[in-house]
Amino acid sequence: MEAILSEIQDPAQQFEKEIVLKLSQTMDIGNKSPQQSNFILKTETEENGQVNKINEIKELTDKEEGYSAFDLIEHLPNGLFLTVDGVIKYVNETGTRMLGACQKSQLLDTSVYDYIEETFHDIVKQRIRSVQQGFRVGLMEQRWYRLDGRMIEVEIISNQTMYKGQPASFVMLMDISHRKNFHKILQNSRERFRMLVQNSIDTIGVICEEKWTFINESGVKMLEVDNYGELIGKSVYQNIGKQDFQYIWKTIHAQSKGEKLPTFEQEWTTMKGHKLYTEVIGIPTTYLGKNAMQVIIRDITERKQAEAVMLQSEKLSVAGQLAAGIAHEIRNPLTAIKGFFKLLEREMDQKKEYFHIIESELSRIELILSELLLLAKPHKVRIQKVSLDTLLKDVTTLLETQAIMNNVWFEMKLDAKDPYIQCDDNQVKQVFINLIKNGIEAMSGGGNIFIETEDEGAEVIIRIRDEGPGIAEEIIARLGEPFFTTKTTGTGLGLMITFNIIKNHHGTVSVKSEVGQGSTFEVRFQKVGR
């Protein structure tokens, strides 16, 4: 059956308008024209003003089919009410069931305010007045209560009509409780997802047309910005290389559905220029109908640094074992040489000064071997209060001959006041020997080495600056690694031992260099009183 509601203007102007509800049975091909049933409401006009009333209700019913327009209205899926000043005068079957009544009599002549939530009473009164004055009112959502006390969510629309000569409202109610519940479930789900994304320890973002369109709180912190506005709408190439991004984009968009998404190890740059090492998963998505990519980024910088420290420790362990083996192998024949040397010294009285030089050099070899053994088994250090001024002067005196041979001159500016530190003087002396020797060897064409001291709070700073070719940034990061060297004859153990000695004395060391401008090694120790 088909239902059509139409509005017809009376050509004779006897009635203002005629509302016709036309019902017809759907027919198969070849059947005769369907019979129609008309439910007609007419509004009458009088000369002394418009008086609207229900004038005529005609039911033209096909007796054989056994249905009527009145039955259709009674069983519409929406509740229909006729109210006068808020009092219910008519309700259909659906409206009766909607409000939990068994019979219409339970609802008739009761006030709609008995069912409407109190917060809506004022606006409902205003809507009733507007309808009675002939104004149209829009669709509105309200909360009504059934007779059993259960609340239902409804959509309501009202139109003007007449009932027994009185202005009335023709009200239609649609129960939207299920829809509202579904919306709440959906909203709660969205809120949970939003909270999950915002509070994730990993960065989650969306990139569309090579620009950030979304990023969570972790991403704001990771990329070192103060607020979302500094990233949203900005080019992603500020943070990732163009080739790297395009490779990830093409790879993930080429994935077939159901395939496991690949994980990429990727370097990112923060807005402050710092480098980060990350693992990235890209997920194809859309944003406003355009192809986009959702990224999940995990910062693994600390893990990479830990792996580097572990590798460094393994290298140190190998270097220590190697150093121990070499030292023991050399010490054994060296002991024999010193023993026979003492025997020869007793028998030969001539050239005694030569014997003194030889003995001094053999002792020096023993000292170097002892330092080498520090890699494998650090022996007990002899901590005492030492003057840095005296120690530095001793070192420069020791290296002066080598410096002159390489056309290098020392410029000393010892401004620190009472620069005393607690240390093993032999070990700290070895630190400055290594640093100054490196400076001498770096200046093949000669130059100056500047040795300076100054106070800074409770620390004393020692700077050793050369005029060599400088050190590239990527090489500075590797200084101190065992077996890493830029010298053709170097072993890569000197700076490693130097840095370990400084660390064992609770000091720090930093390196500043520019290619072509020389290098500066800055060592800091805690001062002690005289």
Side-chain angles (χ1 to χ4, degrees):
M1 183 171 63
E2 294 179 346
I4 302 172
L5 187 65
S6 59
E7 188 175 292
I8 302 172
Q9 186 69 38
D10 185 359
Q13 299 298 319
Q14 183 181 359
F15 298 103
E16 182 183 6
K17 61 182 179 180
E18 186 177 76
I19 301 173
V20 180
L21 180 65
K22 296 182 178 179
L23 305 175
S24 62
Q25 181 183 7
T26 306
M27 64 178 181
D28 295 328
I29 297 175
N31 285 355
K32 296 180 180 179
S33 298
Q35 298 293 325
Q36 292 185 335
S37 172
N38 295 336
F39 180 83
I40 305 173
L41 302 177
K42 291 188 179 178
T43 307
E44 188 178 45
T45 303
E46 294 183 357
E47 290 183 0
N48 58 354
Q50 291 188 349
V51 178
N52 296 323
K53 66 180 181 177
I54 299 176
N55 183 53
E56 182 179 355
I57 300 179
K58 294 182 180 179
E59 294 185 23
L60 306 177
T61 310
D62 189 325
K63 301 298 183 183
E64 294 180 359
E65 296 298 333
Y67 64 84
S68 69
F70 180 77
D71 290 335
L72 177 65
I73 290 175
E74 276 292 293
H75 301 289
L76 279 175
N78 299 328
L80 294 177
F81 295 79
L82 190 65
T83 67
V84 176
D85 292 329
V87 177
I88 300 172
K89 296 300 182 181
Y90 165 79
V91 59
N92 69 349
E93 286 292 337
T94 305
T96 304
R97 291 195 304 272
M98 191 180 292
L99 293 182
C102 299
Q103 298 177 353
K104 293 184 180 184
S105 59
Q106 293 177 263
L107 302 177
L108 294 177
D109 293 322
T110 63
S111 173
V112 292
Y113 298 110
D114 294 341
Y115 312 104
I116 300 174
E117 188 177 274
E118 189 175 352
T119 54
F120 293 95
H121 285 189
D122 289 340
I123 194 168
V124 169
K125 289 175 183 176
Q126 180 61 42
R127 284 169 64 89
I128 290 174
R129 283 195 296 269
S130 297
V131 169
Q132 289 175 347
Q133 293 169 9
F135 295 106
R136 289 183 177 274
V137 293
L139 194 67
M140 182 183 180
E141 291 185 4
Q142 296 177 6
R143 285 188 286 273
W144 286 44
Y145 288 92
R146 291 161 44 96
L147 293 178
D148 58 11
R150 183 166 65 88
M151 188 266 289
I152 58 173
E153 301 269 0
V154 298
E155 273 184 350
I156 183 169
I157 190 167
S158 303
N159 285 296
Q160 181 190 26
T161 187
M162 297 295 293
Y163 178 78
K164 295 183 178 179
Q166 295 179 305
S169 298
F170 190 69
V171 181
M172 179 180 290
L173 261 67
M174 179 186 297
D175 189 346
I176 58 170
S177 299
H178 292 300
R179 189 174 81 193
K180 295 290 282 188
N181 288 337
F182 177 75
H183 284 173
K184 285 179 183 177
I185 293 169
L186 187 61
Q187 183 62 32
N188 290 338
S189 177
R190 285 175 178 169
E191 184 62 20
R192 284 195 298 270
F193 178 73
R194 188 189 70 82
M195 293 295 291
L196 181 67
V197 168
Q198 283 293 14
N199 293 291
S200 170
I201 60 174
D202 294 330
T203 292
I204 299 176
V206 177
I207 301 168
C208 181
E209 294 184 336
E210 302 170 351
K211 294 178 182 177
W212 291 105
T213 56
F214 168 80
I215 196 163
N216 67 348
E217 187 67 28
S218 295
V220 169
K221 292 176 182 175
M222 186 189 81
L223 295 176
E224 296 186 310
V225 294
D226 295 325
N227 54 68
Y228 297 98
E230 294 180 43
L231 278 176
I232 303 303
K234 302 295 173 62
S235 172
V236 73
Y237 296 137
Q238 294 180 83
N239 311 112
I240 186 174
K242 186 172 184 178
Q243 288 184 340
D244 293 339
F245 175 77
Q246 290 180 348
Y247 171 74
I248 295 172
W249 177 277
K250 289 177 182 176
T251 302
I252 66 110
H253 280 89
Q255 293 286 112
S256 301
K257 283 188 178 179
E259 273 190 272
K260 185 179 178 181
L261 293 167
T263 301
F264 305 89
E265 282 203 6
Q266 179 59 46
E267 183 180 280
W268 293 76
T269 305
T270 72
M271 289 302 193
K272 294 183 179 178
H274 298 135
K275 300 293 183 184
L276 298 173
Y277 297 95
T278 68
E279 286 180 342
V280 181
I281 293 177
I283 304 169
T285 186
T286 58
Y287 179 78
L288 300 179
K290 300 173 184 176
N291 284 339
M293 177 172 68
Q294 180 180 333
V295 289
I296 302 171
I297 307 170
R298 175 165 293 176
D299 187 350
I300 59 170
T301 304
E302 290 184 2
R303 190 174 84 192
K304 284 286 187 182
Q305 290 171 347
E307 289 173 358
V309 169
M310 190 180 296
L311 181 62
Q312 182 88 340
S313 299
E314 289 175 1
K315 286 183 177 180
L316 282 170
S317 177
V318 171
Q321 293 170 14
L322 181 62
I326 293 171
H328 283 299
E329 289 298 321
I330 295 175
R331 258 187 164 179
N332 291 335
L334 187 61
T335 303
I337 291 170
K338 286 189 75 175
F340 285 111
F341 170 72
K342 288 291 182 184
L343 293 173
L344 287 172
E345 188 180 13
R346 291 174 192 169
E347 297 177 4
M348 298 180 66
D349 293 331
Q350 296 178 351
K351 304 295 184 183
K352 289 247 182 195
E353 65 274 16
Y354 292 162
F355 286 100
H356 177 70
I357 294 169
I358 293 170
E359 186 177 14
S360 174
E361 290 305 313
L362 287 172
S363 298
R364 176 68 181 156
I365 292 171
E366 277 191 314
L367 179 62
I368 293 170
L369 290 173
S370 297
E371 296 295 332
L372 194 58
L373 280 171
L374 283 173
L375 290 168
K377 184 182 177 183
H379 47 250
K380 187 176 180 181
V381 294
R382 187 168 53 90
I383 300 295
Q384 59 183 348
K385 188 161 64 176
V386 176
S387 169
L388 273 176
D389 286 354
T390 303
L391 190 145
L392 289 169
K393 287 173 183 176
D394 288 346
V395 170
T396 54
T397 301
L398 182 65
L399 296 174
E400 191 171 16
T401 303
Q402 183 181 352
I404 292 171
M405 290 174 62
N406 288 275
N407 197 27
V408 173
W409 307 95
F410 297 138
E411 294 285 343
M412 300 186 73
K413 186 180 179 183
L414 308 178
D415 292 337
K417 268 191 174 182
D418 300 327
Y420 285 87
I421 63 171
Q422 290 281 2
C423 70
D424 182 307
D425 57 344
N426 278 329
Q427 287 195 10
V428 174
K429 194 179 290 184
Q430 187 66 47
V431 166
F432 295 117
I433 288 171
N434 288 346
L435 295 179
I436 294 172
K437 271 187 67 178
N438 284 346
I440 294 171
E441 292 169 1
M443 295 186 291
S444 56
N448 297 309
I449 289 181
F450 301 89
I451 303 168
E452 304 168 354
T453 65
E454 68 172 90
D455 296 316
E456 188 175 288
E459 293 182 328
V460 58
I461 302 172
I462 306 98
R463 293 190 187 90
I464 298 172
R465 177 166 57 90
D466 63 50
E467 296 178 331
I471 308 171
E473 187 178 346
E474 60 272 15
I475 293 177
I476 290 177
R478 298 194 61 189
L479 292 179
E481 286 186 16
F483 310 119
F484 175 75
T485 181
T486 56
K487 303 175 187 175
T488 54
T489 58
T491 63
L493 296 175
L495 278 180
M496 183 186 70
I497 295 170
T498 298
F499 289 176
N500 280 344
I501 292 172
I502 294 170
K503 183 179 178 182
N504 291 337
H505 283 79
H506 307 292
T508 60
V509 60
S510 60
V511 185
K512 297 176 183 176
S513 183
E514 289 185 27
V515 176
Q517 299 295 320
S519 305
T520 301
F521 282 77
E522 184 177 282
V523 182
R524 293 170 177 255
F525 291 113
Q526 290 289 324
K527 287 195 304 183
V528 294
R530 269 191 169 183

